[in-house]
């Protein structure tokens, strides 16, 4: 009986360890890439920052608020969830006209959040923002 108990415990540890390794490797691909935090996104009325911090033709990731704000044309702002629709990683950069996910290379257009390059197949979730007095606020 003792050998069966030991074997059962070892098997359970091996299975648990394999599950942990598989879970960690799901988000591999980018240096330092991690899945998005499981905290709630910022709510309506939350001030994000200065409109001047969002470059025309680019954007800014407000990681702590789980929002990325873009300015595709001067004075036109758009906002999206930072959660990549491929596997839930957080997008971390805006460059070259796209919002970029470090995990598997998905890219989203700054104007509407639609997919510019996969593996993601769905656009980023849209968020609403207002710009008043030079401040960006979630609507």
């Amino acid at each position: 009986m003792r050998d069966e108990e030991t074997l059962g415990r070892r098997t359970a540890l091996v299975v648990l360890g394999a599950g942990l390794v598989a879970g960690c490797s799901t988000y591999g691909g980018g240096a330092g890439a991690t899945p998005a935090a499981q905290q709630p996104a910022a709510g309506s009325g939350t001030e994000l920052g200065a409109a001047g911090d969002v470059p025309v033709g680019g954007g800014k990731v407000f990681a702590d608020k789980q929002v990325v704000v873009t300015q595709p044309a001067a004075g036109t702002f758009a906002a999206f969830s930072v959660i990549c629709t491929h596997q839930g990683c957080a997008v971390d950069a805006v460059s070259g006209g796209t919002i970029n996910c470090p995990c598997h290379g998905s890219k989203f257009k700054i104007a509407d959040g639609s997919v510019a390059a996969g593996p993601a197949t769905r656009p980023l979730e849209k968020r609403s923002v207002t710009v008043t007095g030079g401040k960006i606020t979630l609507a």
Side-chain angles (χ1 to χ4, degrees):
M1 238 349 160
R2 186 89 170 139
D3 289 335
E4 289 175 7
E5 286 178 31
T6 302
L7 182 58
R9 286 183 190 154
R10 286 183 184 161
T11 301
L13 288 174
V14 169
V15 170
L16 177 62
L20 289 173
V21 169
C24 291
S25 67
T26 299
Y27 296 101
T34 57
Q38 295 300 317
Q39 62 188 11
S44 178
T46 300
E47 187 176 301
L48 298 174
D53 291 343
V54 180
V56 176
K60 180 173 177 159
V61 176
F62 296 91
D64 60 330
K65 305 291 192 229
Q66 293 194 339
V67 177
V68 58
V69 177
T70 63
Q71 190 176 185
T76 302
F77 292 85
F80 311 94
S81 167
V82 297
I83 308 301
C84 180
T85 58
H86 176 238
Q87 286 193 347
C89 291
V91 299
D92 69 347
V94 181
S95 65
T98 59
I99 302 163
N100 308 309
C101 182
C103 292
H104 301 105
S106 292
K107 296 179 183 287
F108 304 88
K109 296 177 185 176
I110 63 170
D112 60 8
S114 63
V115 177
T121 58
R122 293 176 290 124
L124 292 174
E125 180 183 322
K126 292 182 181 183
R127 303 290 305 272
S128 295
V129 291
T130 58
V131 178
T132 307
K135 297 288 183 187
I136 304 167
T137 305
L138 283 172

